[in-house]
Amino acid sequence: MNGNAGLFCLSALGLFIILCNVDYSSANTPSTTVNCSLVNDSCGSCLKLNVKCMWCNKPRKCMDYPVNHILPTSADCGLADARWGVCGLNFEALIISVSVVGGLLLIAITLCLCKCCKCCCFKKDSAKYEREAQRLDRERQERSMRQDERKLDRQRKNDDIRRKYGLIKDNNRYQRFDDETA
């Protein structure tokens, strides 16, 4: 498994764990008008009451989620103090973690698309590599041929020197016997 796929799987697992920890049981309750400001006991009781409820830590009160805005304004409750869905995760951490996971997903998807389409830096110009391989093979063969020629030249020179000084041995091991005693 390459690094990008591992990173993608890790981010998907993190997102899955975050989504599994959110209590969706309150989302299945029938839509009745619930006044969130009446429950100011704790974060857990506030968030279990209804999905539309938000807990603010600084004044320690439960309030209706400001549906007019995507995020609660500082007039309602600061992002560091606001809790929605899970008591242990404030809006700042939620925004940071969602943006990091989203960014990682975008990078992973972009890399996968580039890899599949063979564009950008993943493009392999096989003709270029093939020409380079042929050139290297041709140079290797030329070097080998020059080396063999030099070897044969050395062998010839050595044989000439041996012949000159009578050190060369004939291939015929048998010599003729002259009968000197007769």
Side-chain angles (χ1 to χ4, degrees):
M1 179 184 290
N2 63 15
N4 295 335
L7 186 64
F8 177 75
C9 291
L10 185 64
S11 61
L13 179 67
L15 184 64
F16 178 74
I17 289 172
I18 289 172
L19 292 176
C20 286
N21 286 332
V22 175
D23 185 19
Y24 292 107
S25 62
S26 60
N28 296 333
T29 58
S31 84
T32 57
T33 56
V34 175
N35 191 358
C36 296
S37 58
L38 296 177
V39 180
N40 287 325
D41 299 340
S42 68
C43 176
S45 63
C46 172
L47 296 181
K48 284 185 181 179
L49 184 65
N50 196 344
V51 176
K52 296 178 182 175
C53 294
M54 175 182 83
W55 177 259
C56 191
N57 265 348
K58 265 303 197 246
R60 298 193 56 78
K61 68 176 186 174
C62 188
M63 60 179 68
D64 289 330
Y65 189 85
V67 292
N68 300 348
H69 312 288
I70 295 174
L71 298 174
T73 60
S74 59
D76 295 329
C77 186
L79 290 178
D81 298 323
R83 305 287 194 263
W84 179 75
V86 180
C87 289
L89 188 64
N90 64 13
F91 265 96
E92 283 180 345
L94 183 66
I95 290 169
I96 291 170
S97 60
V98 167
S99 61
V100 166
V101 169
L104 290 175
L105 283 174
L106 283 175
I107 290 172
I109 289 170
T110 303
L111 288 175
C112 288
L113 288 175
C114 287
K115 183 77 172 172
C116 292
C117 298
K118 296 189 188 303
C119 63
C120 304
C121 55
F122 295 109
K123 186 176 183 179
K124 261 194 167 175
D125 189 8
S126 60
K128 175 184 171 186
Y129 292 120
E130 193 172 315
R131 283 193 308 266
E132 182 72 17
Q134 288 174 353
R135 184 185 62 82
L136 290 174
D137 192 35
R138 205 171 35 249
E139 287 177 0
R140 190 178 307 115
Q141 287 175 354
E142 289 172 1
R143 280 194 306 268
S144 177
M145 286 174 33
R146 285 193 307 261
Q147 181 182 6
D148 289 342
E149 288 174 9
R150 285 192 304 266
K151 186 177 179 180
L152 285 173
D153 283 343
R154 277 194 312 271
Q155 186 72 31
R156 261 188 250 119
K157 286 181 184 178
N158 286 341
D159 286 345
D160 288 343
I161 292 172
R162 285 188 188 111
R163 249 186 247 109
K164 179 178 178 183
Y165 293 107
L167 299 174
I168 196 163
K169 296 180 181 176
D170 291 331
N171 288 342
N172 188 3
R173 286 195 237 166
Y174 301 107
Q175 294 181 357
R176 188 173 177 195
F177 286 112
D178 289 336
D179 193 14
E180 295 178 9
T181 58

